[in-house]
Amino acid sequence: DSDNGDGVRLEFNDVPAGLVNGVNAVFTLNNEPDPSSDILLFVNGLLQRQGASFDYTLVGDTITFNAGAVPTTGDTLLTSYRY
């Protein structure tokens, strides 16, 4: 977590809260990304794509993984974003 001096705050290596079990698709961030498109979300080191046709959607501070992209037991989630 840092401030670059112009009032923009950055969150690095935020692990979204939520049960990683292959069933749960909803995870919560520490902060709400602003703008919402300014987020990097990785699952096991692989960048995920945001959007209803891709890997996940983001509303406020809530990530919802789309069918076929739900993290399974043992997966590691990591995000970085502006807020």
Side-chain angles (χ1 to χ4, degrees):
D1 188 30
S2 69
D3 185 334
N4 66 2
D6 66 1
V8 174
R9 297 192 55 87
L10 305 172
E11 182 79 44
F12 294 105
N13 302 320
D14 181 12
V15 177
L19 189 59
V20 181
N21 62 2
V23 177
N24 178 46
V26 180
F27 295 83
T28 306
L29 298 168
N30 286 329
N31 300 286
E32 180 177 335
D34 183 23
S36 63
S37 60
D38 230 6
I39 180 172
L40 297 174
L41 169 59
F42 298 91
V43 176
N44 299 328
L46 298 175
L47 181 62
Q48 304 298 292
R49 297 181 298 169
Q50 185 177 168
S53 300
F54 298 112
D55 301 307
Y56 71 98
T57 57
L58 176 69
V59 176
D61 64 353
T62 303
I63 295 168
T64 303
F65 283 91
N66 299 325
V70 175
T72 59
T73 302
D75 284 350
T76 301
L77 282 66
L78 195 62
T79 64
S80 293
Y81 52 88
R82 292 191 308 169
Y83 68 97

